[in-house]
Amino acid sequence: MSATVSSSTEARRQVEKWAQWLRQYPNVTVTVEGHCDERGTREYNLGLGERRAASAKRFLTSLGIDARRVATISYGKERPAVVGSNDAAWSQNRRGVMVVN
Amino acid sequence: MRAVTKIVAVRTYVATLALILVCGFLPRPAGAELRIDITRGRIEPMPIALSQLSGLQPQESQIGQDMTGVISADLERSGLFRPIDPRAFIQTPAALRSQPPRFADWRAINAQALVHGNVELQRDGRLRVEFRLWDVFGESQMEGRIYTAAPQTWRRVSHIIADAIYKRVTGEDGYFDTRVVYISESGPQQRRIKRLAIMDQDGANHRFLTDGRNLMLTPRFSPSLQEITYLAYVNNRPRVYLRNIDTGQEEVLGDFPGMTFAPRFSPDGNKVVMSLAEDGNSEIYTMDLRTRAVQRLTNHPAIDTSPSYSPDGKQIVFNSDRGGSQQLYVMDANGDNVRRITFAQGRYATPVWSPRGDLIAFTKITEGDFYIGVMRPDGKDERLLANGFVVESPTWAPNGRVIMFFRQGRSDSRGQGGNSRLYSIDLTGYNEREIITPVDASDPAWSPLIP
């Protein structure tokens, strides 16, 4: 399973859904991926993706999910969801993704 | 755990290389000598005649022709020399073997400098190359050298000769006998395959170091040349690795709880400085490669990354968003005395200290465009040298006069057009050249001069 979040209010709703799902399947562990758009430099974006993933993880744990079930990884700008150098694509590429381990 | 700095690998293609200076047989006249001042802005390239290095046997002749081609291409790409079409030459390579240059013949084609020489395969199987550089108008020898080396190293000998010519005429060290490690890219953007590759600075002797199974980013050379450090995603763990280029031996650097990234060697090669991300916060650390001691240098909730040492090892420049946006900061090598050096509009990133110490190269993002630029270490005298939709990852030639970077194009909604290529540009902002690679390329890192 994998799910994606991008903008912040939508992100909160999505992370709440992830939390719900994680409560339903208490034995699975997941990895939250942090991704960025191509309009930043590579190394800084790695840091930014990490910040994004960690913030989703913090929100999950604030919703009662055991932190040990949630790993994080940053891909910076290395794994865009969609191609294209335009605002719509960049907005979709700034995202958190939850992947079941 | 092996001691990284102790490894002495035998370079596969480097043989011992002997050098003898050849004495000139004409006195140098008084007066101004032939010279290019490369600190000036736009320079008219110096017309230079490269007479084919002459050989008596067909095999020697062939090596001479190939070597002359490499030397000519090096000098031409520097933007400082304009090799004259050999079809215009009056005095032949054979004539130059037995007689001094007929300067009037070379002046007639407007050559300011003349290079000629001989190639011989010795009875012991070694290659002997002799070359001389002449000031055509001064009618004097500027340089003369003899090299003996294994025949398969003819390319390296050619770069060394080009470096000798460059140095003699400009007064600065050359940069032709160097290599570039970079990331070779292929496949669709969403599943890009990125692998380590290495080549000579002119694109020759290209080889892939990894097979593309693991995502690899941001390789950098050790001052020792045999090692590189880079970021690799192995089993979904992004960590900094060290690799011996010749043996292929690879090891993860340290045992850190989170992602380590943005590695660079210290100028003495004994440390790697890098970022470690923990709970979303990226801080700068060093690891001593001999003792494995880890030292934390920054302590701030902002993203602190892309550290680069000054050549004397006393300071580190890095980028941080602690001021709200991404800017450049300099600190002492122990993390003390952090001060911001950029204040202009835009975001600043990927600072790299020049090997001469006088400048810092950087990436700037402003009003939707990316730029490669240089500034003094105090942040003053910013000059932008190149731009594009994305330009990033400046790296210095060891003489501190040329910068290489990559440029990525804008891609359309089908993912077409987002190609990424390597370029070099002079510090003057002129002479931008593409470095040809087999496929797309990014994250170049220039080696020091090969010892």
Side-chain angles (χ1 to χ4, degrees):
Chain A
M1 186 201 102
S2 112
T4 301
V5 295
S6 18
S7 77
S8 67
T9 41
E10 190 195 327
R12 291 181 75 83
R13 265 204 298 277
Q14 184 60 56
V15 175
E16 280 161 5
K17 277 188 203 157
W18 291 354
Q20 213 168 22
W21 188 89
L22 283 161
R23 278 191 291 267
Q24 204 176 334
Y25 299 95
N27 296 322
V28 296
T29 60
V30 295
T31 299
V32 175
E33 302 175 352
H35 297 272
C36 306
D37 66 34
E38 64 182 354
R39 304 307 290 156
T41 46
R42 192 178 317 290
E43 291 177 335
Y44 180 77
N45 277 10
L46 288 168
L48 206 56
E50 189 67 30
R51 184 189 272 171
R52 193 161 280 157
S55 115
K57 176 178 175 172
R58 261 196 304 277
F59 190 36
L60 279 175
T61 53
S62 78
L63 296 170
I65 304 302
D66 185 345
R68 285 168 301 185
R69 295 176 62 198
V70 185
T72 58
I73 188 169
S74 172
Y75 283 99
K77 61 176 173 178
E78 307 308 316
R79 292 283 178 266
V82 295
V83 293
S85 300
N86 54 68
D87 288 333
W90 296 331
S91 144
Q92 286 182 71
N93 288 334
R94 293 187 294 268
R95 70 202 194 278
V97 177
M98 188 175 82
V99 183
V100 174
N101 292 342
Chain B
M1 207 171 286
R2 72 197 174 88
V4 174
T5 48
K6 296 259 170 65
I7 286 193
V8 182
V10 179
R11 298 284 304 282
T12 48
Y13 72 87
V14 179
T16 51
L17 200 134
L19 157 69
I20 302 159
L21 296 177
V22 185
C23 296
F25 45 71
L26 282 176
R28 173 171 298 137
E33 75 163 3
L34 193 61
R35 191 176 171 83
I36 297 176
D37 178 1
I38 63 175
T39 59
R40 279 167 43 212
R42 196 177 189 104
I43 296 161
E44 194 58 36
M46 174 187 285
I48 186 169
L50 295 149
S51 179
Q52 188 182 309
L53 296 178
S54 154
L56 294 176
Q57 303 302 320
Q59 202 189 345
E60 293 165 338
S61 220
Q62 185 62 52
I63 294 172
Q65 184 182 336
D66 294 343
M67 288 188 67
T68 311
V70 170
I71 298 165
S72 177
D74 278 349
L75 295 175
E76 193 280 326
R77 270 196 321 278
S78 77
L80 303 179
F81 297 87
R82 182 174 60 76
I84 297 168
D85 186 342
R87 285 173 299 188
F89 296 176
I90 303 161
Q91 193 177 12
T92 63
L96 280 164
R97 238 187 137 84
S98 49
Q99 313 153 3
R102 291 196 303 265
F103 293 106
D105 286 0
W106 298 103
R107 279 194 296 269
I109 59 167
N110 294 319
Q112 289 190 34
L114 164 68
V115 174
H116 70 93
N118 304 314
V119 172
E120 187 193 331
L121 286 165
Q122 300 181 148
R123 242 177 254 161
D124 63 4
R126 290 172 68 76
L127 175 72
R128 181 185 182 281
V129 182
E130 172 193 339
F131 89 93
R132 292 166 195 269
L133 165 68
W134 298 87
D135 175 345
V136 169
F137 287 83
E139 302 197 355
S140 63
Q141 181 177 312
M142 297 179 74
E143 190 69 271
R145 294 186 184 200
I146 297 169
Y147 301 91
T148 52
Q152 66 270 26
T153 65
W154 65 269
R155 249 181 190 284
R156 266 208 75 192
V157 179
S158 311
H159 292 311
I160 289 167
I161 290 173
D163 278 332
I165 296 167
Y166 181 100
K167 181 165 189 174
R168 189 64 186 81
V169 174
T170 67
E172 307 267 347
D173 283 330
Y175 56 91
F176 304 122
D177 186 27
T178 55
R179 295 196 281 177
V180 174
V181 62
Y182 75 98
I183 296 298
S184 177
E185 301 193 4
S186 55
Q189 298 292 345
Q190 304 99 312
R191 301 183 302 280
R192 200 79 162 149
I193 291 165
K194 295 198 171 191
R195 48 187 183 157
L196 288 172
I198 192 166
M199 60 187 177
D200 296 350
Q201 59 64 40
D202 62 353
N205 290 317
H206 186 280
R207 99 187 137 98
F208 294 106
L209 300 178
T210 57
D211 60 12
R213 253 178 302 179
N214 294 322
L215 175 64
M216 306 233 170
L217 303 169
T218 63
R220 276 89 195 234
F221 269 103
S222 154
S224 81
L225 279 164
Q226 279 123 4
E227 290 210 327
I228 49 173
T229 182
Y230 49 93
L231 170 61
Y233 285 68
V234 179
N235 299 322
N236 287 325
R237 284 167 60 88
R239 294 291 185 276
V240 168
Y241 281 75
L242 289 177
R243 169 185 287 258
N244 184 293
I245 295 169
D246 299 314
T247 65
Q249 194 180 347
E250 183 186 63
E251 67 164 316
V252 65
L253 185 59
D255 179 23
F256 292 99
M259 170 173 70
T260 47
F261 63 110
R264 265 183 211 282
F265 285 94
S266 59
D268 62 8
N270 289 333
K271 285 180 185 173
V272 168
V273 63
M274 61 192 156
S275 285
L276 163 64
E278 267 188 297
D279 300 326
N281 181 26
S282 299
E283 301 285 9
I284 295 170
Y285 288 74
T286 56
M287 179 178 247
D288 191 304
L289 298 174
R290 300 158 303 180
T291 63
R292 300 279 147 169
V294 172
Q295 189 187 357
R296 180 173 178 165
L297 301 184
T298 58
N299 193 346
H300 198 285
I303 294 172
D304 297 326
T305 192
S306 300
S308 167
Y309 275 97
S310 60
D312 64 6
K314 290 181 177 158
Q315 297 180 90
I316 292 170
V317 61
F318 63 103
N319 69 215
S320 174
D321 58 6
R322 59 182 65 192
S325 76
Q326 208 179 340
Q327 299 290 334
L328 302 188
Y329 293 77
V330 172
M331 62 184 169
D332 297 347
N334 64 0
D336 288 347
N337 198 15
V338 179
R339 63 264 184 207
R340 180 170 166 178
I341 62 164
T342 54
F343 296 91
Q345 202 188 0
R347 291 180 280 157
Y348 287 84
T350 72
V352 194
W353 219 300
S354 152
R356 300 162 69 96
D358 56 342
L359 293 168
I360 290 169
F362 57 84
T363 303
K364 181 176 186 174
I365 306 168
T366 185
E367 290 172 2
D369 271 322
F370 280 55
Y371 298 84
I372 299 291
V374 292
M375 60 175 59
R376 292 214 320 248
D378 61 4
K380 298 211 167 68
D381 296 341
E382 172 179 310
R383 287 192 296 122
L384 300 177
L385 306 178
N387 74 325
F389 173 66
V390 171
V391 287
E392 201 185 321
S393 197
T395 179
W396 290 92
N399 71 354
R401 292 294 183 194
V402 185
I403 289 171
M404 197 179 293
F405 59 96
F406 78 86
R407 177 182 280 123
Q408 183 200 319
R410 185 182 274 275
S411 53
D412 66 21
S413 52
R414 289 169 305 148
Q416 303 297 306
N419 296 70
S420 183
R421 301 284 174 176
L422 305 186
Y423 296 85
S424 65
I425 192 158
D426 292 3
L427 209 44
T428 54
Y430 294 103
N431 192 36
E432 185 179 303
R433 301 290 177 113
E434 182 179 341
I435 289 86
I436 304 296
T437 48
V439 288
D440 273 12
S442 60
D443 294 2
W446 216 317
S447 82
L449 272 179
I450 301 174

